[in-house]
Each structure stands twice: as C-alpha cells, then as structure tokens.
Amino acid sequence: MEFIFDHFAPHQLSAIRAVTDVFKGQPNAGGFFDNSQSDIGSVEFGERGIGNRLVLSPEALLKNISEIQKSNGLAESVNLVPRVDISEELSAKGVDLNISVEMETGTGKTYSYIRTIYELYKTYGFCKFVIVVPSVAIREGTLKNLEITAKEMRALYGVPANYTVWDSANRNALRNFSASNSLQILIINIDSFASDSNIINTVTEQGVKPIEFLQATNPIVIVDEPQNMETPIRRRAIDNLNPLCTLRYSATHKNPYNLISRLTPVDAYNAGLVKQIQVDGITAEQNYNAAFVALKEIQRGKASLKAKVTIFVNGEAGSVNQKDVALSLGDDLFVKSNRREIYRDGFILESIEADKGLIEFSGGLILRVGDSQGGFTDELQQFQIERTVRWHFERAKKLHPLGIKVLSLFFIDKVANYRSPEGKAKFEEYFEGAFTKYSKKSEYKGLIPYRADEVHRGYFSQDKKGVLKDTKGVTKDDEDTYSLIMKNKEELLNLENPVQFIFSHSALREGWDNPNVFQICTLNESVSEVKKRQEVGRGLRLPVNSDGQRIVDKDINLLTVIANESYEAFTRALQTEIEEDTGIPFTGKIADANRAKVQVRYTKAALTRENYPLLFDLWDRVSFHTRYAVSYEEATLVNKAIQFLKDKNHYPTVTRLTLQSNTAKIQMSGEGLLAQSTSNALRETQGRANAIPDVFGFIQSRIKLSRSSIAGLFKECGRIDELMINPQRFLEYVVAVFERAKNEILYEGGVKYEKGPAWDASYTQKLFTDELGEVLQDQVLEVRPDFADKTAFNYYRTDSAIEDNFARDCEVNEAVKFFFKIPKGFKIPTPIGNYTPDWAVVLEHDSKLYFVSETKGTLDPGKLRDEERFKIRMGSQFFSALQTDIGYKLAVRANDLIRST
C-alpha cells in the first residue's frame, strides 16, 4: 500500500505559506532550483561547504512576521527572539529568527514541515535543513514520513531530497551534507549534540569538530515538539547549530516564539481534520469490604524513606473515603485508617526497598510501585479489554466492507502482564477469551476469520538476550521496537494481515502513529497519569482505506478511548490540558478571578438601633441561646427500622459490587468540552469471600443502640444472608434505616427545645458584619434603590430564582415594612445538623407582625425532601420555644405570610 496525500488541504497550505512568506523579499532561486553563486543569492559557498544565506534585514523579517500574524488573527510580535548564549563568532554571522507553527496532533504537522522544506528550496533556493527531534520515537516517525512522502514530493517539485540520520559512527556524512549543492535534510536527536562530550562536539584527528560542518551551512533548523527542548542547555545547543532560522512545530508549545500559524484542537476537531472522540469510562464500585492498599511511589528523603500509599479511611458520619497517606517504617494502617477494622491485623509497614521499588507489611503482603490489592483492578482491566474487543467488532462490521482495516491499541505498564516466560499472562488470557466470545456471536460470525492467538501482537523492547523488558522509551534497546512499529505501518493496514490488536508499552506511546487506530485502551493499575491529549493523540489521525486514500467521513472517523475512569473525569482533564497547552481559555469556564464582583454594604451608615429600628425589633425576638433534648423508646425505633428494611423498593436487594461502563461522545466548542452520554452497561464482579467486620462496632460507632436492639433487627428483617454478599453495603442499609426511624420519631415529637439567655450584642454585630465585603455578582441580587429603606444590605444573598422572586415581591408589597436575608452565621441546632432559615420579615397588618420565613417554592411540606421537611419542623419548634411573638412560616410570596395571620 502507498499512502495518497491531499496536496491541497487548506490548513496545511496555510501553515506552509505562513513560513515561506516570512522570507518575502529574499532573492528567488535563479531558475527552478538553479542556485546562483552571485553575492545576493540564497546560497553561500564557504571553506567547509555550501550553505544557506539570508539577505533580509531583521527589520524586514519582523515586518513580514507582523503582517502574517495580522492576517492570521494572531498577536503581533514586537521583536525577534534572541539566541541563547552563543559564541561571538556565530553571533556575528547569524540573525535572531525563531518562528513557531502550532498544529493540532494528527493534522499533518510532519507532512507540513517536510513540504515547507521543498517550498523554501523551490522559492528561495535554501538547500540545507536540519530536523531536531526530542526522542527516538519521533526520529523514527520523521524518517518514515520522509520515506513515504519522497515519491509525492519528487512528483510535485521535480527534485529528490537526500535525507539521513546522524550516526556518530559515520562522521563523514556531515562532510557530505555540507559539500553537496543539492537539497539536504539531516535528522538528529537533541541528546546527540546538547553535551560538550557528544562525539559531534569533539575535535577529530583533523582538528575539526563534526558540528562545524553543520554550522558552516547556516541550516534552517526545524524543531519537532520544541516544548521538550526548552531548557537553557537544549536551547543553547540548537542555537549553536548556527541556524539561518529556527522553525518550531508543535501542538503544545511551551513558548510559541513569533507564532505565525495556529490550528487549535477545537478548530481541527470541528473541521473534521481529526477523528471525533468518544470515551467509554470503566469504573468500579469501591470495594470497602477488602483491605485496599495501592503503592503509588517511594519517596526518598535526606535521611529516610517513605512509601506513599492509597487506602480507605473512616470518615465523618460513617463515611468511608479514599486517601493518600505517607508511611514510615513501623506505621500501622489500622491507625492511619482511623481504626478501620479490615486493617487491624498484618498491616504494619516492616520494609521499604527503594532500589527494588517495593514495600512489605507485617502480614507478608508485598507491593511494588503501581501494584494494588483489595480492589477490583483485575476485573476492571478484564472489562476494559472486553469493551475494547466489543467496540472493535462493531467498527469492523461497518468498516471492513468499505476496505478500511480497524486497529485497536492497548498501552500497558508492565510487559509481564501480557507476556510471561511461563506462558500466557493475564492480559493475553483476558483478550483471547473476549475475542473468542465475540467472534462466536451470530452478528459477527466470519467477520474476522482468524484465531484469537493470530490477531494480537506485542511490540516491546528487549535486552541483548531477547528478554522482553519494561522501558521508559528512551534507551538504545527501544530503537528496534520503534523501527519495527514504523516499518509495519502499511502492512498492518492490509485486511489480509490478521494482526488487528496491538499491545505496546506505555512508555512507547509516542512511537505509535497509525491512522487506522479506532480504539485505544490504557491498562493501568490506577487512573492513568499520562496526559489525555497524548493518550488520544495516537488515534486522532484520519484513517485510510486499502487504496491509501484518506477518509473524511465524520460518521466513520470516531476514536473510542476505553478509560479506567468516568467519562466526565476524562473530559474535564482533557479540557484542562487543552487550556494549559494552548493558553486559550474556554469561554464556558470562567475562573472566579475573572468574574465580576461587588461590594456588600449596609444601606445606611452603620448597624445601629437608630438606623434600623425594625431590624432590631425582630432580632431581639430571635437572638437567644437554645438547647434541645431527644427522647424515644428504643423498641419503637427497632420496630420502625425493621419495617423500613423490609421495603425492598426503598432498600433494594444487596448484590455483588458492579463494574460500570458509561460511554459519551465529546463535543468541542469555544465554550468548552461537552460529553453527551450515549450508552451504558453493567457487570457484576466475580464472587469472592468477604471478611465480615465487627457488625455491632460498625453500627454503634454511627448510632447509639444496644447490642440487643441491633441483634433484634438482624433476626426479624429476613435479609441477613445479604450481609455475606456485600457486608459494607448491607451495614450501610442498617445504619440508614435506624437513622430514618429515629428521625421519624423525632419529627413526630421526640425533640424538645429549651430557651436560654439572650445573645451578647457584640455577637449580633459580628453576624451582620460577616455579611459585608466583596462577593461574586452572580451570587447576589441587587436591591432596587427605591426600596433601600426596607432592608439592611444593598444586595440580597440569594441562591435561586425562588428567592429572587420572593425578594422582589417583598420590595413592592406595601404590608412588608422591613425584611432581610438572615445572616448565614445564624444556626438552629437540630439532630441532623445545623440549619439557617431564609428570611426575616416585619409586616404591618392591623399591627406589627414578625416572621421568619423559609422559601422552598411550595407551601406543602409533603413535597419537600425528608431532610428539608425535618429541618423546617425543627425550625417551627425552635421558634415556638422562644415564647416571643415571632412567627415561622413556609412561604412562596409575601402574601403567604399575611394570609397566615
């Protein structure tokens, strides 16, 4: 197969034109690539070879750049970016010319700069180019792109390019590069020349450093992914090449020097230049029944080691929370978890071995960095693989008849999870089981006519003995892996090639670049910390059919990411990364710092009785200390709780914990990323023996009950068998029904409030003073000037349209003489937490009437949530206990208070 390129893609032509226009005014090539030896041409002949020559002045270049930026709607540069700390000799020869082009991943960045090379050669005669790359992966990708575009470029421009990769064993290649008068392209890794000790910077027997041959050519340097080369050492190394110009190409510039062309992720996505994205978020219910421990990292201090682990801890009100804790030798997870019973025995940290990346607990548990135990990692990863296979078959059914090969890509952290010397490892078994399952389904029968063991392949680095190994993607051993991936690029697109599922190491993520990847699944022990843009980037390119033609149909071009987190979390992270990488905020996400703010102040000079007599008349009636007592018969409580627990509509049968798949398609706009749910699926986890905690201790730590009362519920509820299936969930049910029963008894009269002494005047002043100051404008409602005398502040602190409407109604209602939003520091204590009512209102209807009002949009307490209904009942009892003439009412409008008199 040969790829067919679109030579007229507007976004690529725009980027190419932007670069060539920078040199507008530079002498043209003498003929069609006929380089003139005149003193004013673009080619210079020197002692060490033939090089580029720039005739334009810095002022002319800056003028060109500004015009291009203005035309492309970009900020105009005020100066050229200076080079970094280079020798006086090079400084005298060169000009400070750094140019940036931003192109979203998958839109043909490499093709664009390769074609730009030919355009610059054709238009101006520039003939020496150096492509600087940050990694072996990008080097191999660039080399592959030069290979597959060579025929097309020769057809377009009529000349070939000589391209080579710097090899320290072949130093004469630089002499040839320098001496040739033809179009020359050198690819070199930044680490090959950034250090003085590199061979290229070392004086040879002839008394010359190899790099001097490059410097003599005054090359145009193209930096691929420059954000990886922004350290002073690397910038200095690039400038030390003596470039005529440095062109920087990336989707995620760290410093976009003199940016002249920009194709944002949103522009590319909405124009259909990349695949659309959907996320299949795989999540598991937290398994609180097991002793969950995950080792995240080992931290080295000056004199000690610590292990950072994730565990479950007991929280407030019976909650269980996931928390990261740092452990030193001797630390006990039972203590660190706030005495969580499941960690009582065997979880004292006894050993930290930083070199091996492992820790050991007193009970014999050994964890390596990235490992976990007690969760559903294996089941979740198996479900991820199955979902990937499912999506693959669905896409293949649609696309194979169109001649489009479907590929699925798995990134894994540990080679041993896929391939083991002893035989098949877990990922291989999971995959082959899932593939066999779907290949037997009637709707997919015969679609992929190969065995499960024929359709998947692993690409991993190996040592000299051929043993597969984990890697960081930057070692010598990785080079053969990248080469193999790239060489098989076209072969994998052949429908007759059985390989359709690729397993590769996470660290090799940059090296994978195949347009027909439709599914990407990252199999991590924890939520992937790899950037989402990097994760999806390997599958964004538009696919090709068997003839090498690019497909531009949005209904076909859909990438599915199978993630081990919710699609909401994935989408939020992706949006944040786009904002951070591009520096362009989405309009729908406005930081508090940029939101309008206003100052809340009193409507009069100060809070005094003279200025606000009606406020103090009312406040004197409510500002008392109170306390409450509760009373109920425990037998009544138990009977009610038993009846509640028997209601399976309210408390469904406890089942095994589930894995959930929720899929959503991502839409992008200037406002932000929106994930629209499209499908979901559930799977129960496999049955496993659960440790039963101290049930009496669990319940009694959350609600005060005797052991006999708890035992009575277990005996009579008829559901004790569910305790074995999911102990945590069932015990949460038990606590919930006891709490519900208690609240119902209290609601029916089990709470008695008792009035105490009045508040100190200074406390009243503090409550109101705390309401003053700067607040967000969209969280308050401004008092209309004509009604400022009817209230205490110039803004009402409202949190709903219902409250806004009530405030406006009180303003115009003639019976309302004064009203204000009750300060948030005013708290009514209740058995289920403190409560602050909404409004204080003074009415005049035959006589003065004083009310505290709660606005909920309804006058029927039965339509409220149980918690709201309970707190309103407690509010009524509280104000009755004050024995003042204060009324407490539920209201929608001011007239609702009047009608109640």
Side-chain angles (χ1 to χ4, degrees):
M1 175 195 290
E2 291 185 359
F3 290 105
I4 299 174
F5 295 93
D6 179 5
H7 303 306
F8 304 100
H11 69 286
Q12 294 173 345
L13 292 179
S14 176
I16 295 166
R17 185 169 54 252
V19 176
T20 56
D21 284 352
V22 168
F23 300 98
K24 190 165 59 176
Q26 175 79 8
N28 292 341
F32 196 66
F33 306 134
D34 175 19
N35 288 317
S36 170
Q37 295 191 32
S38 70
D39 291 337
I40 61 170
S42 297
V43 175
E44 186 171 55
F45 294 82
E47 293 181 8
R48 292 204 171 96
I50 300 171
N52 301 321
R53 175 165 51 191
L54 183 64
V55 174
L56 295 179
S57 67
E59 293 76 18
L61 290 166
L62 183 59
K63 182 174 181 291
N64 287 344
I65 289 171
S66 296
E67 289 177 354
I68 296 164
Q69 291 168 330
K70 186 175 181 180
S71 175
N72 289 336
L74 299 169
E76 295 183 46
S77 298
V78 295
N79 59 269
L80 300 178
V81 178
R83 289 174 290 175
V84 178
D85 190 24
I86 57 175
S87 68
E88 291 184 10
E89 180 184 0
L90 291 180
S91 180
K93 289 182 179 179
V95 65
D96 298 327
L97 186 53
N98 289 274
I99 298 168
S100 298
V101 175
E102 181 181 312
M103 295 184 73
E104 171 62 328
T105 301
T107 59
K109 173 195 67 179
T110 308
Y111 172 87
S112 295
Y113 72 62
I114 289 173
R115 188 165 170 187
T116 298
I117 290 173
Y118 283 88
E119 282 289 337
L120 291 172
Y121 183 49
K122 170 187 172 182
T123 306
Y124 304 111
F126 296 132
C127 60
K128 300 298 170 71
F129 295 85
V130 175
I131 301 174
V132 180
V133 297
S135 66
V136 176
I138 295 176
R139 185 195 73 193
E140 292 300 317
T142 302
L143 183 60
K144 183 66 177 181
N145 274 282
L146 283 166
E147 290 174 0
I148 64 178
T149 58
K151 183 177 178 181
E152 298 273 350
M153 293 299 109
R154 185 162 189 169
L156 277 175
Y157 296 97
V159 295
N162 297 307
Y163 54 86
T164 184
V165 175
W166 160 250
D167 182 355
S168 59
N170 183 19
R171 283 171 280 184
N172 284 333
L174 292 189
R175 190 184 298 270
N176 298 334
F177 176 92
S178 175
S180 174
N181 65 351
S182 63
L183 177 56
Q184 297 287 322
I185 303 171
L186 175 73
I187 309 167
I188 187 168
N189 193 304
I190 183 68
D191 290 329
S192 297
F193 67 97
S195 170
D196 290 339
S197 62
N198 290 132
I199 290 176
I200 199 171
N201 293 318
T202 306
V203 177
T204 64
E205 294 177 355
Q206 291 77 31
V208 178
K209 298 177 183 178
I211 198 170
E212 292 177 17
F213 290 103
L214 279 185
Q215 293 170 335
T217 67
N218 205 203
I220 291 179
V221 174
I222 294 171
V223 182
D224 196 332
E225 305 296 352
Q227 70 275 11
N228 297 317
M229 292 176 262
E230 282 296 323
T231 63
I233 290 175
R234 289 185 165 193
R235 279 197 62 198
R236 187 180 305 115
I238 292 169
D239 288 342
N240 193 49
L241 295 175
N242 191 32
L244 176 144
C245 169
T246 303
L247 301 174
R248 291 175 157 82
Y249 286 81
S250 178
T252 56
H253 284 284
K254 187 175 182 181
N255 294 303
Y257 310 113
N258 299 316
L259 182 67
I260 59 172
S261 179
R262 162 172 271 171
L263 178 66
T264 69
V266 176
D267 294 337
Y269 195 81
N270 291 329
L273 302 177
V274 293
K275 291 191 186 88
Q276 304 296 288
I277 302 170
Q278 73 174 5
V279 181
D280 188 352
I282 310 297
T283 56
E285 290 183 277
Q286 296 288 17
N287 182 20
Y288 297 131
N289 303 306
F292 174 73
V293 191
L295 176 58
K296 300 189 74 172
E297 63 176 322
I298 293 176
Q299 301 169 331
R300 295 176 185 262
K302 289 184 178 180
S304 64
L305 296 173
K306 289 195 173 185
K308 185 178 180 181
V309 302
T310 304
I311 61 173
F312 291 140
V313 300
N314 288 327
E316 296 180 359
S319 64
V320 181
N321 305 310
Q322 187 169 295
K323 183 179 180 181
D324 291 343
V325 296
L327 301 180
S328 300
L329 289 177
D331 282 347
D332 189 346
L333 291 190
F334 178 65
V335 176
K336 292 287 186 179
S337 65
N338 295 334
R339 305 182 69 81
R340 188 157 174 76
E341 191 67 29
I342 203 74
Y343 297 112
R344 179 178 289 277
D345 298 317
F347 287 96
I348 297 172
L349 184 62
E350 288 192 339
S351 174
I352 302 177
E353 297 187 44
D355 293 340
K356 295 181 180 179
L358 61 81
I359 61 175
E360 183 172 0
F361 290 95
S362 56
L365 174 65
I366 296 175
L367 291 177
R368 298 181 183 276
V369 174
D371 285 349
S372 64
Q373 77 111 45
F376 286 117
T377 301
D378 286 350
E379 288 97 328
L380 190 144
Q381 291 177 334
Q382 185 174 8
F383 195 30
Q384 277 186 274
I385 291 172
E386 182 173 318
R387 294 291 295 178
T388 305
V389 172
R390 180 255 185 196
W391 286 115
H392 187 104
F393 271 88
E394 184 175 298
R395 303 294 289 158
K397 184 178 181 180
K398 180 178 180 180
L399 301 186
H400 282 190
L402 302 177
I404 302 171
K405 175 83 171 282
V406 175
L407 298 176
S408 292
L409 180 56
F410 295 94
F411 283 122
I412 68 176
D413 280 345
K414 298 176 184 176
V415 177
N417 286 336
Y418 172 73
R419 191 60 53 81
S420 169
E422 289 77 34
K424 293 180 181 179
K426 62 179 182 180
F427 288 167
E428 194 170 8
E429 288 188 349
Y430 296 163
F431 169 78
E432 292 186 3
F435 181 86
T436 301
K437 170 185 172 181
Y438 278 92
S439 64
K440 290 179 178 179
K441 288 182 176 289
S442 58
E443 64 265 40
Y444 301 131
K445 201 153 191 178
L447 178 64
I448 302 177
Y450 303 105
R451 299 189 314 271
D453 61 348
E454 295 177 307
V455 297
H456 66 96
R457 184 173 180 180
Y459 290 86
F460 304 104
S461 299
Q462 49 188 301
D463 60 21
K464 293 178 181 179
K465 297 180 181 180
V467 177
L468 301 178
K469 67 173 193 173
D470 293 325
T471 178
K472 294 185 177 179
V474 294
T475 66
K476 188 72 175 174
D477 292 331
D478 298 319
E479 296 193 21
D480 290 341
T481 308
Y482 287 123
S483 178
L484 185 62
I485 289 172
M486 292 305 171
K487 285 177 181 176
N488 283 346
K489 189 171 185 175
E490 296 95 334
E491 181 185 334
L492 283 172
L493 296 174
N494 188 336
L495 282 165
E496 294 183 3
N497 183 330
V499 177
Q500 302 181 31
F501 299 87
I502 308 300
F503 287 80
S504 188
H505 202 286
S506 297
L508 305 185
R509 186 176 276 101
E510 279 184 330
W512 243 104
D513 183 16
N514 196 299
N516 284 30
V517 170
F518 285 91
Q519 287 76 229
I520 292 178
C521 177
T522 300
L523 298 166
N524 287 28
E525 298 278 349
S526 58
V527 173
S528 175
E529 294 183 2
V530 174
K531 280 200 165 189
K532 307 305 178 191
R533 290 190 76 194
Q534 187 181 9
E535 199 164 335
V536 303
R538 298 309 96 206
L540 283 181
R541 296 187 187 280
L542 298 183
V544 297
N545 61 20
S546 54
D547 296 324
Q549 293 177 319
R550 195 74 63 182
I551 306 299
V552 294
D553 186 343
K554 280 190 176 183
D555 290 336
I556 290 175
N557 299 338
L558 180 65
L559 171 69
T560 302
V561 179
I562 297 87
N564 64 342
E565 60 185 317
S566 70
Y567 68 73
E568 295 95 341
F570 187 98
T571 304
R572 281 195 302 271
L574 182 59
Q575 173 168 319
T576 299
E577 287 176 16
I578 291 173
E579 289 184 311
E580 291 174 349
D581 290 342
T582 65
I584 304 175
F586 289 106
T587 58
K589 180 185 176 185
I590 306 172
D592 282 354
N594 298 323
R595 291 162 69 183
K597 296 178 181 178
V598 295
Q599 288 286 335
V600 175
R601 61 179 184 275
Y602 294 125
T603 55
K604 297 183 180 179
L607 185 70
T608 63
R609 289 184 180 273
E610 292 74 22
N611 288 335
Y612 296 103
L614 291 179
L615 182 151
F616 280 93
D617 280 353
L618 187 149
W619 202 250
D620 288 344
R621 289 166 164 78
V622 301
S623 53
F624 292 92
H625 294 283
T626 62
R627 62 182 181 182
Y628 69 87
V630 299
S631 62
Y632 55 83
E633 293 291 333
E634 195 162 296
T636 304
L637 176 71
V638 173
N639 288 334
K640 278 184 175 291
I642 291 170
Q643 295 310 309
F644 288 152
L645 191 56
K646 287 183 176 180
D647 178 7
K648 290 195 175 183
N649 290 323
H650 204 101
Y651 302 96
T653 301
V654 170
T655 59
R656 294 192 184 99
L657 295 174
T658 59
L659 301 172
Q660 302 172 359
S661 159
N662 292 288
T663 305
K665 189 173 181 180
I666 294 178
Q667 294 182 338
M668 290 191 194
S669 70
E671 293 185 353
L673 272 61
L674 174 66
Q676 292 191 326
S677 179
T678 56
S679 65
N680 55 67
L682 286 178
R683 169 191 277 183
E684 280 194 0
T685 55
Q686 299 173 5
R688 59 171 71 180
N690 291 308
I692 305 300
D694 175 3
V695 294
F696 295 107
F698 182 96
I699 296 169
Q700 288 175 322
S701 67
R702 291 155 175 82
I703 185 169
K704 292 181 179 179
L705 286 170
S706 66
R707 293 172 68 92
S708 61
S709 293
I710 297 170
L713 179 137
F714 283 147
K715 182 179 179 181
E716 299 296 332
C717 71
R719 299 180 60 173
I720 191 63
D721 56 317
E722 295 175 32
L723 176 65
M724 305 299 296
I725 297 172
N726 188 339
Q728 178 80 24
R729 175 67 55 80
F730 184 73
L731 292 177
E732 287 172 352
Y733 274 4
V734 172
V735 172
V737 295
F738 276 129
E739 290 284 0
R740 183 181 168 196
K742 183 185 74 172
N743 291 341
E744 187 168 296
I745 293 171
L746 298 180
Y747 183 86
E748 293 167 353
V751 180
K752 301 295 181 186
Y753 283 91
E754 182 179 327
K755 180 180 177 182
W759 290 352
D760 185 87
S762 62
Y763 185 65
T764 293
Q765 284 286 345
K766 182 180 184 305
L767 283 183
F768 282 87
T769 301
D770 287 347
E771 297 294 300
L772 304 176
E774 191 175 68
V775 298
L776 294 172
Q777 187 174 12
D778 55 14
Q779 295 180 353
V780 292
L781 178 68
E782 188 172 12
V783 175
R784 291 184 286 191
D786 291 347
F787 304 104
D789 287 341
K790 294 184 71 169
T791 191
F793 304 103
N794 61 331
Y795 285 93
Y796 310 111
R797 179 176 44 81
T798 60
D799 54 20
S800 68
I802 293 170
E803 291 193 350
D804 289 350
N805 293 336
F806 184 82
R808 292 301 185 213
D809 189 51
C810 285
E811 285 181 337
V812 300
N813 194 301
E814 294 181 0
V816 176
K817 299 305 177 183
F818 197 84
F819 73 103
F820 58 92
K821 192 73 185 292
I822 293 178
K824 54 183 176 291
F826 179 88
K827 306 290 186 184
I828 296 176
T830 83
I832 62 171
N834 291 333
Y835 155 59
T836 303
D838 290 332
W839 300 92
V841 183
V842 180
L843 295 175
E844 191 163 305
H845 185 67
D846 298 331
S847 62
K848 280 192 177 65
L849 302 170
Y850 302 92
F851 284 96
V852 170
S853 174
E854 186 69 32
T855 48
K856 294 296 183 185
T858 179
L859 299 178
D860 182 2
K863 293 181 179 180
L864 302 178
R865 292 183 292 110
D866 287 347
E867 182 178 326
E868 291 178 331
R869 191 164 53 88
F870 185 86
K871 286 184 175 180
I872 289 172
R873 181 64 176 266
M874 295 302 103
S876 178
Q877 294 186 27
F878 171 88
F879 288 110
S880 294
L882 298 183
Q883 298 177 343
T884 61
D885 56 349
I886 192 80
Y888 177 80
K889 298 294 180 183
L890 195 61
V892 176
R893 304 177 67 84
N895 282 338
D896 296 329
L897 300 177
I898 297 171
R899 281 192 290 267
S900 68
T901 60

